[in-house]
Amino acid sequence: MAQKATITICGNEKDVESGLAHACDLYKLADLSPDKKWLYLDKDKDIDIPLLPDDYIIIHGGEKILSGDVSADIGDNPSVRNPVCVHLNDKRLEEGFKKAKVTGKELRELDKELDASRLFANLRGRVDEFIKDEWVLVVQEKDRYLTIPVSATEDAIDLEKCARANRKPPKGQKHYAIKIDGYKYKVGQALAGAAILKLAGGKTYGDWTLNQKFHGGRRKAVGQDEEIDFSEPGVERFETVRKQAQQGR
């Protein structure tokens, strides 16, 4: 669900959607041509950062964006006086960025534990957004990012791989890959137990039960009307168990 944030742009307060924003949309909001004027992110006690139309920025709310002449002196990616420290996988990067902007690839490759991964903007309270390698990001102290292992199905988040790599899955994605009885299935963000059981060959709760399996061997029975949110950490594997037939006396 979209959440609103208030920013100040060219002296006017505007309500916009929080989250990852393309700077070209900020130019439209300001009714400004980048050929004549640039937008700048006003950094308190630091150099103002030029926002070029192809840049991306995470809007948290409270940002102040100014307009000014196109500056050849500072360039399009200036050095900052105070290195910017963002969060990656819920850990604050102690060695901050000395430049105002980084690429998605540069951020993604800071995760030394995964050889191949995808980068997401970790947005609290709303859908996490995928970031491409070639995108240029204007980084801020409040920014949070996460990396997840690459799935064999690029449009689905592989929950088993996330669990093995100790990565929480991104929220609000269209497709997730879960495993039922050793086979993988592509699903949406959430399903009830009856729908999960039906994926495994059309089974029903009349003859079968459904268990969610956790690391360490723990199992939890899933009710037929119980909805499972696949963006919750730890959801990856399920098993079906045939009910024992009642023996007559």
Side-chain angles (χ1 to χ4, degrees), residues 204-246:
T204 66
Y205 272 85
D207 299 313
W208 299 81
T209 59
L210 179 70
N211 294 330
Q212 182 178 344
K213 298 171 68 177
F214 299 87
H215 284 295
R218 184 171 70 89
R219 288 167 167 78
K220 172 183 172 294
V222 178
Q224 61 180 339
D225 296 323
E226 181 180 348
E227 188 170 85
I228 302 295
D229 182 351
F230 300 117
S231 68
E232 289 294 321
V235 179
E236 52 164 317
R237 295 183 297 161
F238 299 86
E239 67 175 2
T240 63
V241 181
R242 183 181 288 276
K243 293 180 179 178
Q244 296 295 320
Q246 294 289 333

Side-chain angles (χ1 to χ4, degrees), residues 125-159:
R126 56 164 301 172
V127 172
D128 295 327
E129 298 192 51
F130 171 59
I131 295 173
K132 294 183 178 181
D133 274 356
E134 63 271 20
W135 288 359
V136 177
L137 303 161
V138 178
V139 287
Q140 302 186 78
E141 289 281 341
K142 293 182 180 180
D143 291 357
R144 307 181 76 91
Y145 301 91
L146 60 90
T147 53
I148 65 161
V150 172
S151 170
T153 306
E154 287 298 325
D155 64 340
I157 304 302
D158 193 317
L159 298 184

Side-chain angles (χ1 to χ4, degrees), residues 1-237:
M1 182 178 180
Q3 294 186 2
K4 293 296 183 181
T6 300
I7 65 173
T8 302
I9 185 165
C10 300
N12 300 310
E13 285 194 352
K14 299 284 187 180
D15 289 331
V16 298
E17 286 190 13
S18 63
L20 195 63
H22 200 188
C24 68
D25 293 328
L26 298 176
Y27 277 89
K28 293 177 183 177
L29 186 65
D31 193 22
L32 194 68
S33 171
D35 295 331
K36 299 178 180 179
K37 294 279 188 179
W38 274 359
L39 290 176
Y40 291 83
L41 178 64
D42 184 8
K43 298 276 286 184
D44 187 32
K45 299 180 182 178
D46 212 322
I47 189 171
D48 293 339
I49 310 304
L51 294 171
L52 302 188
D54 287 336
D55 292 343
Y56 287 83
I57 182 172
I58 297 179
I59 297 296
H60 301 279
E63 286 84 0
K64 294 181 179 179
I65 299 173
L66 317 170
S67 64
D69 293 331
V70 176
S71 174
D73 296 333
I74 64 172
D76 57 6
N77 188 13
S79 298
V80 291
R81 300 188 187 100
N82 304 302
V84 181
C85 298
V86 303
H87 280 75
L88 180 67
N89 298 322
D90 289 332
K91 295 179 181 178
R92 187 175 184 269
L93 299 177
E94 296 302 328
E95 186 175 345
F97 296 108
K98 297 179 181 179
K99 288 283 191 177
K101 306 176 188 181
V102 298
T103 65
K105 182 179 181 181
E106 289 172 323
L107 257 173
R108 180 177 60 79
E109 290 182 342
L110 289 176
D111 181 0
K112 304 301 183 184
E113 297 179 18
L114 295 178
D115 293 331
S117 62
R118 302 176 75 188
L119 180 71
F120 284 80
N122 188 2
L123 306 174
R124 296 191 172 185
R126 56 164 301 172
V127 172
D128 295 327
E129 298 192 51
F130 171 59
I131 295 173
K132 294 183 178 181
D133 274 356
E134 63 271 20
W135 288 359
V136 177
L137 303 161
V138 178
V139 287
Q140 302 186 78
E141 289 281 341
K142 293 182 180 180
D143 291 357
R144 307 181 76 91
Y145 301 91
L146 60 90
T147 53
I148 65 161
V150 172
S151 170
T153 306
E154 287 298 325
D155 64 340
I157 304 302
D158 193 317
L159 298 184
E160 183 178 33
K161 288 186 177 181
C162 286
R164 286 180 177 177
N166 196 28
R167 297 286 187 271
K168 65 180 182 181
K171 302 182 295 293
Q173 305 307 301
K174 290 184 178 180
H175 299 117
Y176 295 85
I178 63 173
K179 186 175 278 189
I180 310 173
D181 294 337
Y183 295 94
K184 286 191 176 180
Y185 298 87
K186 188 166 77 171
V187 296
Q189 183 175 347
L191 281 178
I196 298 173
L197 192 59
K198 188 175 181 180
L199 285 174
K203 297 174 181 177
T204 66
Y205 272 85
D207 299 313
W208 299 81
T209 59
L210 179 70
N211 294 330
Q212 182 178 344
K213 298 171 68 177
F214 299 87
H215 284 295
R218 184 171 70 89
R219 288 167 167 78
K220 172 183 172 294
V222 178
Q224 61 180 339
D225 296 323
E226 181 180 348
E227 188 170 85
I228 302 295
D229 182 351
F230 300 117
S231 68
E232 289 294 321
V235 179
E236 52 164 317
R237 295 183 297 161

